[in-house]
mmCIF file of all heavy atoms in Angstrom:
data_model
loop_
_atom_site.group_PDB
_atom_site.id
_atom_site.type_symbol
_atom_site.label_atom_id
_atom_site.label_comp_id
_atom_site.label_asym_id
_atom_site.label_seq_id
_atom_site.Cartn_x
_atom_site.Cartn_y
_atom_site.Cartn_z
ATOM 1 N N MET A 1 27.646 23.709 26.223
ATOM 2 C CA MET A 1 26.370 24.398 25.991
ATOM 3 C C MET A 1 26.489 25.345 24.791
ATOM 4 O O MET A 1 27.542 25.896 24.543
ATOM 5 C CB MET A 1 26.003 25.202 27.255
ATOM 6 C CG MET A 1 24.535 25.521 27.328
ATOM 7 S SD MET A 1 24.132 26.619 28.685
ATOM 8 C CE MET A 1 24.793 25.744 30.087
ATOM 9 N N SER A 2 25.408 25.487 24.074
ATOM 10 C CA SER A 2 25.471 26.348 22.885
ATOM 11 C C SER A 2 25.724 27.805 23.280
ATOM 12 O O SER A 2 25.442 28.213 24.421
ATOM 13 C CB SER A 2 24.169 26.251 22.095
ATOM 14 O OG SER A 2 23.117 26.818 22.802
ATOM 15 N N ILE A 3 26.238 28.563 22.334
ATOM 16 C CA ILE A 3 26.565 29.985 22.588
ATOM 17 C C ILE A 3 25.307 30.717 23.023
ATOM 18 O O ILE A 3 25.287 31.460 24.011
ATOM 19 C CB ILE A 3 27.167 30.601 21.323
ATOM 20 C CG1 ILE A 3 28.455 29.822 20.937
ATOM 21 C CG2 ILE A 3 27.456 32.082 21.535
ATOM 22 C CD1 ILE A 3 29.006 30.167 19.565
ATOM 23 N N ILE A 4 24.226 30.507 22.292
ATOM 24 C CA ILE A 4 23.019 31.270 22.567
ATOM 25 C C ILE A 4 22.417 30.890 23.928
ATOM 26 O O ILE A 4 21.967 31.731 24.675
ATOM 27 C CB ILE A 4 21.976 31.127 21.418
ATOM 28 C CG1 ILE A 4 20.965 32.252 21.429
ATOM 29 C CG2 ILE A 4 21.284 29.792 21.415
ATOM 30 C CD1 ILE A 4 21.490 33.517 20.893
ATOM 31 N N LYS A 5 22.500 29.606 24.288
ATOM 32 C CA LYS A 5 21.984 29.161 25.569
ATOM 33 C C LYS A 5 22.784 29.779 26.700
ATOM 34 O O LYS A 5 22.259 30.221 27.718
ATOM 35 C CB LYS A 5 22.088 27.632 25.708
ATOM 36 C CG LYS A 5 20.842 26.880 25.364
ATOM 37 C CD LYS A 5 20.013 26.541 26.587
ATOM 38 C CE LYS A 5 18.533 26.851 26.462
ATOM 39 N NZ LYS A 5 17.943 26.930 25.178
ATOM 40 N N THR A 6 24.121 29.827 26.508
ATOM 41 C CA THR A 6 24.987 30.427 27.514
ATOM 42 C C THR A 6 24.575 31.887 27.748
ATOM 43 O O THR A 6 24.413 32.336 28.899
ATOM 44 C CB THR A 6 26.440 30.383 27.072
ATOM 45 O OG1 THR A 6 26.738 29.049 26.642
ATOM 46 C CG2 THR A 6 27.395 30.772 28.155
ATOM 47 N N VAL A 7 24.371 32.606 26.650
ATOM 48 C CA VAL A 7 23.979 34.026 26.779
ATOM 49 C C VAL A 7 22.632 34.093 27.467
ATOM 50 O O VAL A 7 22.405 34.938 28.368
ATOM 51 C CB VAL A 7 23.937 34.708 25.393
ATOM 52 C CG1 VAL A 7 23.417 36.104 25.503
ATOM 53 C CG2 VAL A 7 25.301 34.687 24.742
ATOM 54 N N PHE A 90 32.234 39.825 19.985
ATOM 55 C CA PHE A 90 31.552 38.628 20.409
ATOM 56 C C PHE A 90 31.114 37.790 19.210
ATOM 57 O O PHE A 90 31.281 36.559 19.194
ATOM 58 C CB PHE A 90 30.317 38.987 21.266
ATOM 59 C CG PHE A 90 29.478 37.812 21.615
ATOM 60 C CD1 PHE A 90 29.912 36.894 22.596
ATOM 61 C CD2 PHE A 90 28.277 37.591 20.989
ATOM 62 C CE1 PHE A 90 29.143 35.779 22.885
ATOM 63 C CE2 PHE A 90 27.492 36.458 21.294
ATOM 64 C CZ PHE A 90 27.945 35.557 22.260
ATOM 65 N N ALA A 94 32.249 34.067 18.142
ATOM 66 C CA ALA A 94 31.227 33.020 18.016
ATOM 67 C C ALA A 94 31.372 32.343 16.654
ATOM 68 O O ALA A 94 31.319 31.096 16.562
ATOM 69 C CB ALA A 94 29.836 33.637 18.163
ATOM 70 N N LEU A 95 31.577 33.118 15.614
ATOM 71 C CA LEU A 95 31.720 32.542 14.278
ATOM 72 C C LEU A 95 32.931 31.632 14.237
ATOM 73 O O LEU A 95 32.872 30.520 13.691
ATOM 74 C CB LEU A 95 31.853 33.670 13.228
ATOM 75 C CG LEU A 95 32.135 33.178 11.813
ATOM 76 C CD1 LEU A 95 31.007 32.300 11.275
ATOM 77 C CD2 LEU A 95 32.369 34.360 10.842
ATOM 78 N N GLN A 97 34.251 30.004 16.613
ATOM 79 C CA GLN A 97 33.979 28.752 17.357
ATOM 80 C C GLN A 97 33.128 27.818 16.494
ATOM 81 O O GLN A 97 33.404 26.620 16.393
ATOM 82 C CB GLN A 97 33.249 29.048 18.653
ATOM 83 C CG GLN A 97 33.011 27.760 19.449
ATOM 84 C CD GLN A 97 32.053 27.953 20.634
ATOM 85 O OE1 GLN A 97 32.076 28.989 21.312
ATOM 86 N NE2 GLN A 97 31.236 26.930 20.873
ATOM 87 N N MET A 98 32.100 28.345 15.851
ATOM 88 C CA MET A 98 31.246 27.495 15.008
ATOM 89 C C MET A 98 32.022 26.963 13.829
ATOM 90 O O MET A 98 31.783 25.842 13.375
ATOM 91 C CB MET A 98 30.008 28.294 14.533
ATOM 92 C CG MET A 98 29.051 28.606 15.674
ATOM 93 S SD MET A 98 27.526 29.399 15.118
ATOM 94 C CE MET A 98 28.050 31.094 14.878
ATOM 95 N N HIS A 99 32.939 27.753 13.341
ATOM 96 C CA HIS A 99 33.768 27.332 12.209
ATOM 97 C C HIS A 99 34.680 26.175 12.616
ATOM 98 O O HIS A 99 34.830 25.200 11.893
ATOM 99 C CB HIS A 99 34.556 28.521 11.696
ATOM 100 C CG HIS A 99 35.520 28.169 10.639
ATOM 101 N ND1 HIS A 99 36.856 28.047 10.897
ATOM 102 C CD2 HIS A 99 35.383 27.884 9.316
ATOM 103 C CE1 HIS A 99 37.491 27.694 9.774
ATOM 104 N NE2 HIS A 99 36.615 27.612 8.821
ATOM 105 N N ASP A 100 35.235 26.282 13.828
ATOM 106 C CA ASP A 100 36.125 25.215 14.300
ATOM 107 C C ASP A 100 35.354 23.941 14.588
ATOM 108 O O ASP A 100 35.821 22.861 14.294
ATOM 109 C CB ASP A 100 36.826 25.631 15.607
ATOM 110 C CG ASP A 100 37.857 26.704 15.335
ATOM 111 O OD1 ASP A 100 38.178 26.931 14.165
ATOM 112 O OD2 ASP A 100 38.307 27.336 16.319
ATOM 113 N N ASP A 101 34.214 24.092 15.195
ATOM 114 C CA ASP A 101 33.467 22.896 15.612
ATOM 115 C C ASP A 101 31.980 23.221 15.722
ATOM 116 O O ASP A 101 31.516 23.715 16.739
ATOM 117 C CB ASP A 101 34.013 22.398 16.936
ATOM 118 C CG ASP A 101 33.305 21.144 17.425
ATOM 119 O OD1 ASP A 101 32.464 20.621 16.652
ATOM 120 O OD2 ASP A 101 33.571 20.713 18.559
ATOM 121 N N LEU A 102 31.284 22.901 14.668
ATOM 122 C CA LEU A 102 29.882 23.223 14.597
ATOM 123 C C LEU A 102 29.090 22.526 15.714
ATOM 124 O O LEU A 102 28.173 23.084 16.308
ATOM 125 C CB LEU A 102 29.359 22.750 13.224
ATOM 126 C CG LEU A 102 28.167 23.442 12.633
ATOM 127 C CD1 LEU A 102 28.338 24.960 12.684
ATOM 128 C CD2 LEU A 102 27.971 22.990 11.199
ATOM 129 N N LYS A 103 29.483 21.301 15.987
ATOM 130 C CA LYS A 103 28.713 20.516 16.950
ATOM 131 C C LYS A 103 28.869 21.009 18.389
ATOM 132 O O LYS A 103 28.021 20.719 19.219
ATOM 133 C CB LYS A 103 29.095 19.052 16.831
ATOM 134 C CG LYS A 103 28.615 18.494 15.507
ATOM 135 C CD LYS A 103 28.480 17.005 15.470
ATOM 136 C CE LYS A 103 27.855 16.611 14.110
ATOM 137 N NZ LYS A 103 28.274 15.305 13.647
ATOM 138 N N SER A 104 29.946 21.759 18.632
ATOM 139 C CA SER A 104 30.119 22.295 19.993
ATOM 140 C C SER A 104 29.034 23.321 20.265
ATOM 141 O O SER A 104 28.772 23.686 21.397
ATOM 142 C CB SER A 104 31.500 22.959 20.157
ATOM 143 O OG SER A 104 31.491 24.214 19.454
ATOM 144 N N ASN A 105 28.365 23.764 19.229
ATOM 145 C CA ASN A 105 27.300 24.749 19.422
ATOM 146 C C ASN A 105 25.908 24.120 19.317
ATOM 147 O O ASN A 105 24.953 24.779 18.915
ATOM 148 C CB ASN A 105 27.463 25.874 18.393
ATOM 149 C CG ASN A 105 26.539 27.032 18.701
ATOM 150 O OD1 ASN A 105 26.343 27.361 19.885
ATOM 151 N ND2 ASN A 105 25.973 27.631 17.682
ATOM 152 N N ILE A 106 25.821 22.828 19.661
ATOM 153 C CA ILE A 106 24.513 22.186 19.657
ATOM 154 C C ILE A 106 24.263 21.667 21.056
ATOM 155 O O ILE A 106 25.135 21.067 21.663
ATOM 156 C CB ILE A 106 24.523 21.026 18.650
ATOM 157 C CG1 ILE A 106 24.568 21.571 17.221
ATOM 158 C CG2 ILE A 106 23.297 20.114 18.824
ATOM 159 C CD1 ILE A 106 24.712 20.579 16.121
ATOM 160 N N ASP A 107 23.096 21.970 21.601
ATOM 161 C CA ASP A 107 22.781 21.549 22.966
ATOM 162 C C ASP A 107 22.445 20.065 23.003
ATOM 163 O O ASP A 107 21.488 19.616 22.396
ATOM 164 C CB ASP A 107 21.605 22.361 23.517
ATOM 165 C CG ASP A 107 21.983 23.807 23.696
ATOM 166 O OD1 ASP A 107 23.032 24.070 24.318
ATOM 167 O OD2 ASP A 107 21.239 24.697 23.224
ATOM 168 N N GLN A 108 23.266 19.326 23.723
ATOM 169 C CA GLN A 108 23.001 17.883 23.899
ATOM 170 C C GLN A 108 21.914 17.702 24.939
ATOM 171 O O GLN A 108 21.864 18.399 25.950
ATOM 172 C CB GLN A 108 24.287 17.177 24.321
ATOM 173 C CG GLN A 108 25.366 17.174 23.264
ATOM 174 C CD GLN A 108 24.972 16.336 22.027
ATOM 175 O OE1 GLN A 108 24.663 15.171 22.125
ATOM 176 N NE2 GLN A 108 24.961 16.988 20.863
ATOM 177 N N LEU A 147 21.647 13.369 16.651
ATOM 178 C CA LEU A 147 22.469 14.541 16.727
ATOM 179 C C LEU A 147 22.365 15.193 18.136
ATOM 180 O O LEU A 147 23.342 15.700 18.672
ATOM 181 C CB LEU A 147 22.038 15.564 15.658
ATOM 182 C CG LEU A 147 22.821 16.872 15.606
ATOM 183 C CD1 LEU A 147 24.226 16.602 15.034
ATOM 184 C CD2 LEU A 147 22.133 17.899 14.755
ATOM 185 N N LEU A 148 21.168 15.091 18.719
ATOM 186 C CA LEU A 148 20.967 15.688 20.032
ATOM 187 C C LEU A 148 21.356 14.774 21.174
ATOM 188 O O LEU A 148 21.113 15.058 22.327
ATOM 189 C CB LEU A 148 19.509 16.146 20.167
ATOM 190 C CG LEU A 148 19.059 17.208 19.167
ATOM 191 C CD1 LEU A 148 17.620 17.636 19.415
ATOM 192 C CD2 LEU A 148 19.966 18.442 19.185
ATOM 193 N N ILE A 502 25.559 35.679 10.769
ATOM 194 C CA ILE A 502 26.119 35.090 12.011
ATOM 195 C C ILE A 502 25.003 34.952 13.047
ATOM 196 O O ILE A 502 24.899 33.923 13.740
ATOM 197 C CB ILE A 502 27.293 35.946 12.579
ATOM 198 C CG1 ILE A 502 28.382 36.079 11.511
ATOM 199 C CG2 ILE A 502 27.850 35.285 13.823
ATOM 200 C CD1 ILE A 502 29.558 36.946 11.907
ATOM 201 N N ILE A 503 24.159 35.975 13.148
ATOM 202 C CA ILE A 503 23.015 35.895 14.104
ATOM 203 C C ILE A 503 22.140 34.666 13.756
ATOM 204 O O ILE A 503 21.688 33.963 14.618
ATOM 205 C CB ILE A 503 22.181 37.195 14.034
ATOM 206 C CG1 ILE A 503 23.033 38.371 14.302
ATOM 207 C CG2 ILE A 503 20.965 37.088 14.956
ATOM 208 C CD1 ILE A 503 23.046 38.889 15.673
ATOM 209 N N THR A 504 21.931 34.483 12.460
ATOM 210 C CA THR A 504 21.113 33.358 12.028
ATOM 211 C C THR A 504 21.798 32.043 12.388
ATOM 212 O O THR A 504 21.161 31.118 12.894
ATOM 213 C CB THR A 504 20.886 33.414 10.493
ATOM 214 O OG1 THR A 504 20.347 34.708 10.163
ATOM 215 C CG2 THR A 504 19.907 32.348 10.037
ATOM 216 N N LEU A 505 23.106 31.984 12.181
ATOM 217 C CA LEU A 505 23.845 30.786 12.568
ATOM 218 C C LEU A 505 23.690 30.481 14.052
ATOM 219 O O LEU A 505 23.501 29.324 14.446
ATOM 220 C CB LEU A 505 25.342 30.958 12.247
ATOM 221 C CG LEU A 505 25.777 30.912 10.794
ATOM 222 C CD1 LEU A 505 27.229 31.372 10.656
ATOM 223 C CD2 LEU A 505 25.632 29.487 10.228
ATOM 224 N N LEU A 506 23.712 31.545 14.848
ATOM 225 C CA LEU A 506 23.639 31.358 16.298
ATOM 226 C C LEU A 506 22.285 30.779 16.722
ATOM 227 O O LEU A 506 22.169 30.180 17.790
ATOM 228 C CB LEU A 506 23.828 32.703 17.000
ATOM 229 C CG LEU A 506 25.272 33.187 17.114
ATOM 230 C CD1 LEU A 506 25.305 34.569 17.756
ATOM 231 C CD2 LEU A 506 26.060 32.210 17.986
ATOM 232 N N ASN A 507 21.303 30.972 15.907
ATOM 233 C CA ASN A 507 19.954 30.528 16.297
ATOM 234 C C ASN A 507 19.737 29.023 16.116
ATOM 235 O O ASN A 507 18.710 28.487 16.533
ATOM 236 C CB ASN A 507 18.932 31.311 15.481
ATOM 237 C CG ASN A 507 17.557 31.288 16.129
ATOM 238 O OD1 ASN A 507 17.490 31.216 17.349
ATOM 239 N ND2 ASN A 507 16.518 31.284 15.347
ATOM 240 N N LEU A 508 20.701 28.360 15.506
ATOM 241 C CA LEU A 508 20.550 26.906 15.206
ATOM 242 C C LEU A 508 20.043 26.068 16.400
ATOM 243 O O LEU A 508 19.085 25.318 16.242
ATOM 244 C CB LEU A 508 21.884 26.347 14.715
ATOM 245 C CG LEU A 508 21.907 24.838 14.554
ATOM 246 C CD1 LEU A 508 21.119 24.382 13.328
ATOM 247 C CD2 LEU A 508 23.319 24.304 14.482
ATOM 248 N N PRO A 509 20.647 26.203 17.600
ATOM 249 C CA PRO A 509 20.212 25.318 18.697
ATOM 250 C C PRO A 509 18.729 25.450 18.981
ATOM 251 O O PRO A 509 18.065 24.434 19.259
ATOM 252 C CB PRO A 509 21.041 25.777 19.898
ATOM 253 C CG PRO A 509 22.203 26.511 19.315
ATOM 254 C CD PRO A 509 21.770 27.080 18.003
ATOM 255 N N ASN A 510 18.199 26.645 18.906
ATOM 256 C CA ASN A 510 16.763 26.829 19.199
ATOM 257 C C ASN A 510 15.904 26.155 18.124
ATOM 258 O O ASN A 510 14.861 25.576 18.431
ATOM 259 C CB ASN A 510 16.390 28.308 19.287
ATOM 260 C CG ASN A 510 16.963 28.912 20.562
ATOM 261 O OD1 ASN A 510 17.186 28.211 21.551
ATOM 262 N ND2 ASN A 510 17.221 30.215 20.540
ATOM 263 N N VAL A 511 16.370 26.200 16.892
ATOM 264 C CA VAL A 511 15.622 25.556 15.798
ATOM 265 C C VAL A 511 15.610 24.028 16.010
ATOM 266 O O VAL A 511 14.583 23.378 15.873
ATOM 267 C CB VAL A 511 16.261 25.903 14.442
ATOM 268 C CG1 VAL A 511 15.579 25.159 13.293
ATOM 269 C CG2 VAL A 511 16.206 27.415 14.202
ATOM 270 N N LEU A 512 16.765 23.509 16.359
ATOM 271 C CA LEU A 512 16.857 22.042 16.552
ATOM 272 C C LEU A 512 15.981 21.603 17.734
ATOM 273 O O LEU A 512 15.231 20.629 17.629
ATOM 274 C CB LEU A 512 18.306 21.629 16.804
ATOM 275 C CG LEU A 512 19.290 21.889 15.661
ATOM 276 C CD1 LEU A 512 20.680 21.418 16.050
ATOM 277 C CD2 LEU A 512 18.838 21.186 14.365
ATOM 278 N N THR A 513 16.056 22.351 18.823
ATOM 279 C CA THR A 513 15.275 21.951 20.002
ATOM 280 C C THR A 513 13.785 21.990 19.690
ATOM 281 O O THR A 513 13.042 21.081 20.040
ATOM 282 C CB THR A 513 15.581 22.892 21.190
ATOM 283 O OG1 THR A 513 16.988 22.967 21.314
ATOM 284 C CG2 THR A 513 14.991 22.375 22.467
ATOM 285 N N TYR A 527 14.553 27.147 8.143
ATOM 286 C CA TYR A 527 15.826 27.735 8.569
ATOM 287 C C TYR A 527 16.890 27.568 7.494
ATOM 288 O O TYR A 527 17.645 28.483 7.173
ATOM 289 C CB TYR A 527 16.246 27.046 9.854
ATOM 290 C CG TYR A 527 17.579 27.471 10.406
ATOM 291 C CD1 TYR A 527 17.715 28.667 11.124
ATOM 292 C CD2 TYR A 527 18.703 26.673 10.247
ATOM 293 C CE1 TYR A 527 18.943 29.042 11.637
ATOM 294 C CE2 TYR A 527 19.933 27.038 10.767
ATOM 295 C CZ TYR A 527 20.049 28.230 11.458
ATOM 296 O OH TYR A 527 21.255 28.603 11.981
ATOM 297 N N THR A 562 31.478 28.095 7.213
ATOM 298 C CA THR A 562 30.567 27.736 8.298
ATOM 299 C C THR A 562 29.142 27.508 7.790
ATOM 300 O O THR A 562 28.495 26.555 8.184
ATOM 301 C CB THR A 562 30.593 28.829 9.394
ATOM 302 O OG1 THR A 562 31.953 29.133 9.670
ATOM 303 C CG2 THR A 562 29.927 28.360 10.663
ATOM 304 N N LEU A 566 27.166 23.963 7.876
ATOM 305 C CA LEU A 566 25.839 23.871 8.503
ATOM 306 C C LEU A 566 24.828 23.335 7.513
ATOM 307 O O LEU A 566 23.978 22.512 7.835
ATOM 308 C CB LEU A 566 25.427 25.223 9.085
ATOM 309 C CG LEU A 566 24.125 25.216 9.863
ATOM 310 C CD1 LEU A 566 24.060 24.082 10.865
ATOM 311 C CD2 LEU A 566 23.899 26.516 10.589
ATOM 312 N N LEU A 569 25.206 19.682 7.336
ATOM 313 C CA LEU A 569 24.689 19.030 8.535
ATOM 314 C C LEU A 569 23.164 18.929 8.505
ATOM 315 O O LEU A 569 22.578 17.895 8.758
ATOM 316 C CB LEU A 569 25.135 19.829 9.772
ATOM 317 C CG LEU A 569 24.708 19.271 11.122
ATOM 318 C CD1 LEU A 569 25.771 18.306 11.627
ATOM 319 C CD2 LEU A 569 24.465 20.368 12.131
#
Side-chain angles (χ1 to χ4, degrees):
M1 200 186 306
S2 68
I3 300 168
I4 200 77
K5 264 263 132 24
T6 311
V7 176
F90 174 74
L95 175 62
Q97 183 191 324
M98 291 185 281
H99 174 258
D100 289 347
D101 181 6
L102 207 48
K103 292 201 174 150
S104 74
N105 190 37
I106 290 174
D107 293 310
Q108 293 294 303
L147 181 72
L148 299 182
I502 303 176
I503 303 264
T504 307
L505 287 169
L506 281 176
N507 200 31
L508 172 75
N510 289 335
V511 175
L512 296 180
T513 310
Y527 176 79
T562 312
L566 185 47
L569 182 90

